């Protein structure tokens, strides 16, 4: 692998910008929590609950964009621009529909949406204020993600990183300006956080559309939007539906983990929140490698170079384990650093250190499974495996164990937390066996 400079060059060029993009997106959530939490606990709590609606929307949109990226990478490897445009036209329509539904709910029925997550009137009112403005940004998110996905699979991941990073930095700066009322502006608090998000999304979409018309870039031909491409749409559904099922299983499972820890006391909930923040930041590394691996392997498979695609997959397995061990070290090293910025009770601090030890083992499984399942397997259209593995390991083992430990056996928070980590660790042998079968080595193009 060290001798293959082409492989290393492709990996760095593809994965590094995506890793940076993921890291910048994670920092938006961190900045929102810190700024609003600095004003009042209810502001942070209400916005956290309100953004669960975006979390649900993202499960639908992310699965849609990822399915189109799987097919798009292979057709780009084949240099079939017409089919690539048709695939993204389908994606554009589906994301637009999801965005419209979320927009209508947030802007016209925000109270009903907040009632799903809380019955505290003070939190509901704050959440309504946020959603009526942020709902407009949810309408635009899907469209910008379609354009950025096209750029990723057509050898322009550095451009997506620059656009997303600029939008994120703008979002964070505007957060500070609008929330605290800097430069003579009134302090808008929660409204300011929503307005900052909306402006950042508008700028991101305008930049993405503008760049897409440059030479050597692909832009959506809107005359194709209303055409029906039956064969390509059927291929898209074969990738998308299993991905959507996997995203829903994963999303509901992770939400239940948060609920379990919330029932174990404020110390457990506080420690779990810090673990989640550190985990999401460090996971940007394996997420970036997974996306890079998927694009690289997909290009080779779509070009008909099945053996080279398989060879790239073999190399990524080694890198997945190296990434996992590196993530474990970063997780342990990041704990004292995180505590410098957040005040916890002595009980929560003690729990945090123990949870981080558990998380350091979990990160090995998370890195390996993310890179193999979401990167290599998905590159060849092998998306059903993810849904099956989540149904068996997460919903058959991890969720029931954590539920029983919380409500029946009353285990300590650390033991329950370890149960929530069983899904990633338990999947490793199964994932490696499936990898060796090479069912993912497929050319999906027509």
């Amino acid at each position: 692998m060290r001798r293959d400079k082409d492989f290393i060059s492709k990996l760095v060029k593809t994965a590094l910008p995506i890793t940076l993009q993921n890291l910048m997106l994670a920092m938006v959530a961190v900045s929102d929590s810190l700024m609003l939490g600095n004003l009042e606990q209810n502001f942070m709590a209400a916005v956290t609950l309100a953004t669960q609606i975006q979390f649900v929307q993202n499960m639908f949109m992310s699965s849609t964009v990822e399915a189109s990226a799987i097919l798009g990478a292979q057709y780009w490897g084949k240099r079939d621009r017409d089919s690539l445009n048709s695939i993204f036209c389908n994606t554009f329509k589906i994301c637009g529909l999801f965005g419209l539904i979320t927009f209508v709910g947030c802007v016209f029925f925000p109270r009903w949406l907040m009632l799903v997550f809380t019955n505290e009137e003070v939190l509901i009112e704050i959440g309504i204020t946020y959603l009526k403005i942020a709902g407009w940004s949810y309408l635009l998110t899907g469209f910008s993600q379609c354009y950025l996905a096209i750029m990723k699979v057509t050898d322009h991941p550095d451009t997506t990183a620059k656009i997303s990073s600029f939008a994120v930095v703008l979002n964070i700066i505007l957060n500070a300006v609008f929330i605290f009322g800097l430069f003579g502006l009134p302090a808008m608090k929660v409204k300011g956080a929503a307005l900052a998000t909306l402006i950042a999304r508008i700028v991101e979409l305008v930049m993405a559309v503008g760049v897409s018309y440059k030479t050597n870039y692909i832009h959506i031909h809107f005359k194709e939007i209303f055409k029906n491409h039956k064969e390509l749409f059927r291929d898209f559904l074969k990738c998308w539906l299993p991905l959507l099922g996997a995203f829903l299983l994963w999303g509901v499972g992770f939400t239940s983990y948060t609920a379990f820890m919330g029932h174990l006391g404020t110390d457990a909930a506080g420690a779990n929140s810090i673990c989640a923040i550190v985990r999401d930041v460090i996971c940007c590394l394996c997420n970036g490698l997974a996306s890079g691996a998927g694009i690289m392997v997909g290009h080779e498979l779509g070009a008909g170079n099945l053996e080279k695609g398989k060879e790239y997959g073999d190399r990524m397995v080694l890198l997945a384990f190296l990434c996992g061990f590196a993530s474990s070290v970063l997780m342990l090293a990041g704990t004292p650093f995180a505590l410098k910025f957040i005040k916890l009770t002595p009980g929560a601090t003690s729990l945090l250190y123990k949870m981080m030890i558990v998380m350091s083992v979990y990160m090995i499984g998370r890195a390996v499974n993310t890179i193999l399942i979401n990167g290599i397997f998905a590159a060849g259209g092998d998306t059903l495996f993810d849904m099956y593995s989540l149904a068996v390991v997460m919903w058959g083992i991890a969720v029931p164990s954590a539920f029983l430990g919380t409500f029946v056996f009353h285990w300590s928070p650390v033991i329950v937390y370890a149960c929530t980590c069983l899904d990633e660790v338990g999947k490793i042998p199964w994932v490696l066996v499936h990898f060796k079968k090479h069912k993912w080595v497929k050319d999906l193009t027509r």
Side-chain angles (χ1 to χ4, degrees):
M1 183 162 56
R2 289 196 303 268
R3 289 193 300 268
D4 191 346
K5 294 182 179 179
D6 184 54
F7 173 81
I8 298 297
S9 175
K10 285 181 181 177
L11 183 63
V12 171
K13 182 182 176 182
T14 306
L16 189 60
I18 298 174
T19 300
L20 175 63
Q21 180 186 3
N22 290 337
L23 180 62
M24 296 301 292
L25 290 173
M27 295 310 295
V28 172
V30 174
S31 70
D32 278 351
S33 298
L34 291 176
M35 291 182 191
L36 291 172
N38 189 55
L39 290 176
E40 185 182 325
Q41 180 176 318
N42 284 340
F43 289 159
M44 182 179 68
V47 171
T48 299
L49 293 173
T51 52
Q52 292 301 303
I53 296 158
Q54 186 185 20
F55 177 72
V56 174
Q57 181 201 38
N58 281 343
M59 285 192 289
F60 288 90
M61 285 194 175
S62 296
S63 61
T64 306
V65 171
E66 189 170 325
S68 65
I70 291 169
L71 285 176
Q74 291 217 6
Y75 276 103
W76 182 249
K78 195 177 181 179
R79 292 300 188 265
D80 185 346
R81 289 176 175 244
D82 291 336
S83 296
L84 181 63
N85 187 72
S86 299
I87 291 165
F88 280 98
C89 282
N90 286 331
T91 310
F92 204 80
K93 288 185 285 188
I94 296 172
C95 286
L97 177 61
F98 289 144
L100 180 61
I101 293 171
T102 311
F103 162 76
V104 170
C106 290
V107 174
F108 297 102
F109 308 102
R111 173 172 290 275
W112 293 102
L113 293 178
M114 288 301 298
L115 283 169
V116 174
F117 300 101
T118 182
N119 57 2
E120 296 288 340
E121 186 61 29
V122 62
L123 297 181
I124 291 173
E125 289 300 326
I126 295 172
I128 289 173
T129 301
Y130 180 85
L131 288 176
K132 283 188 173 181
I133 299 174
W136 290 88
S137 71
Y138 302 157
L139 180 64
L140 305 177
T141 301
F143 298 136
S144 61
Q145 291 308 306
C146 287
Y147 277 98
L148 295 177
I150 292 178
M151 294 178 196
K152 283 180 186 178
V153 302
T154 55
D155 299 329
H156 298 293
D158 54 330
T159 305
T160 67
K162 291 175 183 176
I163 293 173
S164 292
S165 297
F166 179 83
V168 166
V169 171
L170 178 65
N171 195 340
I172 293 173
I173 293 173
L174 292 179
N175 266 345
V177 172
F178 294 148
I179 290 174
F180 300 116
L182 304 180
F183 306 113
L185 294 174
M188 300 175 68
K189 300 176 182 177
V190 170
K191 284 185 178 179
L195 182 60
T197 300
L198 174 58
I199 293 174
R201 293 289 80 77
I202 293 173
V203 171
E204 181 182 62
L205 179 58
V206 170
M207 290 178 66
V209 173
V211 169
S212 72
Y213 282 90
K214 292 175 63 178
T215 306
N216 297 326
Y217 283 78
I218 300 288
H219 61 268
I220 292 176
H221 298 288
F222 288 97
K223 64 181 181 182
E224 299 286 327
I225 287 285
F226 300 104
K227 290 186 178 180
N228 189 12
H229 307 277
K230 292 183 179 179
E231 289 186 334
L232 285 174
F233 188 65
R234 280 198 296 267
D235 292 341
F236 171 79
L237 288 178
K238 288 178 183 178
C239 290
W240 178 50
L241 293 178
L243 278 174
L244 178 60
F247 269 84
L248 292 175
L249 287 172
W250 177 84
V252 176
F254 252 79
T255 303
S256 68
Y257 292 163
T258 303
F260 296 153
M261 299 307 297
H263 281 83
L264 293 172
T266 55
D267 283 350
N272 181 59
S273 297
I274 305 306
C275 279
I277 291 173
V278 177
R279 179 198 65 216
D280 290 345
V281 171
I282 294 176
C283 278
C284 293
L285 177 60
C286 67
N287 292 340
L289 280 174
S291 297
I295 292 171
M296 287 173 60
V297 174
H299 284 171
E300 298 302 331
L301 297 179
N305 303 324
L306 302 186
E307 284 302 316
K308 192 169 186 179
K310 186 162 65 173
E311 180 185 332
Y312 278 7
D314 291 337
R315 294 175 179 180
M316 290 306 304
V317 173
L318 173 61
L319 290 175
F321 277 99
L322 291 175
C323 176
F325 288 118
S327 299
S328 296
V329 173
L330 288 173
M331 179 65 66
L332 294 174
T335 305
F337 180 77
L339 286 173
K340 290 182 179 180
F341 299 93
I342 301 172
K343 295 180 180 179
L344 294 177
T345 65
T349 302
S350 176
L351 284 175
L352 177 63
Y353 278 109
K354 294 173 183 176
M355 288 180 179
M356 285 296 191
I357 294 173
V358 175
M359 179 63 71
S360 66
V361 179
Y362 163 91
M363 288 303 297
I364 299 173
R366 177 67 179 266
V368 172
N369 295 330
T370 299
I371 292 172
L372 267 68
I373 295 175
N374 299 336
I376 299 171
F377 295 173
D382 188 3
T383 54
L384 267 175
F385 178 82
D386 192 15
M387 188 173 68
Y388 291 152
S389 64
L390 285 168
V392 173
V393 183
M394 175 180 269
W395 285 94
I397 299 174
V399 172
S401 299
F403 175 85
L404 292 173
T406 302
F407 299 107
V408 179
F409 301 117
H410 306 292
W411 290 335
S412 71
V414 176
I415 300 298
V416 174
Y417 188 75
C419 290
T420 66
C421 297
L422 287 174
D423 54 337
E424 296 292 354
V425 177
K427 281 195 294 189
I428 293 178
W430 191 10
V431 169
L432 292 176
V433 169
H434 188 77
F435 172 81
K436 287 296 183 182
K437 293 180 181 178
H438 293 128
K439 291 183 178 180
W440 50 273
V441 184
K442 293 179 182 177
D443 181 352
L444 304 176
T445 63
R446 291 182 177 274

